[in-house]
Amino acid sequence: MIDRRKLLLGGAALALSGCKILDSARDRDSALRRLFASHEGLTQSAQRALIGNRLAPEFIEADIRQGQRPNGSTDPVSASYRRMAETGFQDYRLTVTGLVDQPQSLSLADLTALPSRTQITRHDCVEGWSCIAKWQGVPLGTVLTLAQPKLTARYAVFHCYDAIERGLAGEVFYYESIDLIDAYHAQTILAYAMNGAALPVANGAPLRLRVERQLGYKMAKYVHTIELTDSLAALGQGHGSYWADRGYEWYAGI
Ligand SMILES: Nc1nc2c(c(=O)[nH]1)N[C@H]1C(S)=C(S)[C@@H](COP(=O)(O)O)O[C@H]1N2
Ligand SMILES: [Mo]
């Protein structure tokens, strides 16, 4: 696997020539280090200019008029999920894997021990209904920082417990993905609580994604694994999500 830093290092070494260059990269004041820094600054500002740090609207408690309407899968039937649900998700583990330096296996206790964020937001389903609800969870960025994504990582893929379809080729499991800009957005959280109570099974227990600047189908419920990848081509039908594989937009911005 070639990463961006190694590529750059190769290019800079060629441009500056001489074999001492690799050693001098460890020197704080080296020209090479300054080159890395300016390159990364440039990439970041270009990304900010394009996407921005816009927040989704947030609401107050009085705006919560009804419970969050369950949609899609509401009761996964797999034996492993059922066993976990019956014991209050004590055995649940969130796996963080793929292009990361520090793969993680986190229990619900581990996740709830991390600093949390609470937000009251509106969920817009592509079918034409909306619900305002209060979500509490750990920022996805915090979990990713623990896992230390490699420089080649571009997407976070969410693998879910629910088989949403049973075809001739077997069960098709729900999955979704977002890019790392949305992944590190302040309102992108892994929610374990909703409207002041533990997340109900119907809404994705024990852990579901909230990515507030996009439509409801992006908000994967029943997440068991987050995989960091540099491409979406090898997953499902290659469009990055169960619904994108069926013709919906992968980037479902609202
Ligand atoms: N694992 C999984 N996640 C999912 C779905 C699903 O069927 N399975 N449905 C999606 C759709 S279309 C919507 S609108 C929301 C519904 O979330 P809710 O049940 O909490 O309202 O979850 C999304 N995430
Ligand atoms: Mo939806």
Side-chain angles (χ1 to χ4, degrees):
M1 192 64 57
I2 302 166
D3 73 33
R4 200 174 69 205
R5 187 159 283 165
K6 284 195 192 110
L7 262 174
L8 249 182
L9 189 66
L14 267 179
L16 298 171
S17 82
C19 51
K20 286 274 161 57
I21 199 73
L22 289 172
D23 288 329
S24 73
R26 290 194 204 109
D27 176 355
R28 261 187 174 283
D29 296 320
S30 76
L32 203 53
R33 187 172 285 274
R34 284 199 298 277
L35 184 72
F36 293 158
S38 67
H39 172 82
E40 269 167 30
L42 200 74
T43 311
Q44 231 177 61
S45 56
Q47 285 172 348
R48 290 239 170 87
L50 270 170
I51 313 255
N53 264 339
R54 185 174 62 85
L55 293 171
E58 294 197 14
F59 299 83
I60 58 169
E61 302 266 349
D63 296 319
I64 303 171
R65 306 212 181 272
Q66 72 279 299
Q68 170 76 16
R69 169 182 164 168
N71 197 42
S73 298
T74 53
D75 200 10
V77 294
S78 74
S80 57
Y81 182 85
R82 293 250 58 90
R83 242 189 333 270
M84 247 181 9
E86 277 155 23
T87 52
F89 298 103
Q90 278 174 39
D91 300 328
Y92 172 80
R93 289 288 181 285
L94 172 69
T95 301
V96 189
T97 186
L99 295 175
V100 295
D101 283 334
Q102 303 288 331
Q104 300 288 311
S105 171
L106 302 165
S107 68
L108 270 185
D110 294 333
L111 291 163
T112 53
L114 293 167
S116 78
R117 179 183 165 96
T118 301
Q119 59 204 26
I120 302 176
T121 51
R122 198 186 65 207
H123 178 108
D124 295 320
C125 175
V126 72
E127 294 164 2
W129 55 267
S130 302
C131 278
I132 291 173
K134 179 161 82 172
W135 303 97
Q136 184 189 1
V138 55
L140 176 58
T142 304
V143 170
L144 293 185
T145 299
L146 288 176
Q148 294 180 33
K150 294 182 185 294
L151 291 176
T152 44
R154 294 183 57 197
Y155 305 101
V157 180
F158 303 87
H159 296 282
C160 306
Y161 275 108
D162 55 314
I164 183 153
E165 204 180 292
R166 269 169 209 79
L168 290 175
E171 292 176 313
V172 179
F173 287 88
Y174 201 92
Y175 77 104
E176 256 303 343
S177 59
I178 57 177
D179 63 25
L180 292 192
I181 297 168
D182 266 320
Y184 283 98
H185 185 269
Q187 291 168 318
T188 300
I189 66 174
L190 294 166
Y192 45 71
M194 188 191 84
N195 292 337
L199 189 63
V201 164
N203 301 103
L207 199 69
R208 70 96 52 87
L209 178 67
R210 298 298 309 170
V211 47
E212 305 291 357
R213 298 183 302 177
Q214 296 201 48
L215 288 172
Y217 62 84
K218 298 300 288 184
M219 317 227 193
K221 308 197 281 188
Y222 317 111
V223 174
H224 60 76
T225 299
I226 301 174
E227 181 187 1
L228 280 285
T229 67
D230 58 359
S231 163
L232 301 172
L235 300 150
Q237 317 268 335
H239 299 99
S241 110
Y242 173 79
W243 283 114
D245 284 342
R246 281 150 191 82
Y248 284 62
E249 294 295 326
W250 174 78
Y251 188 82
I254 43 178

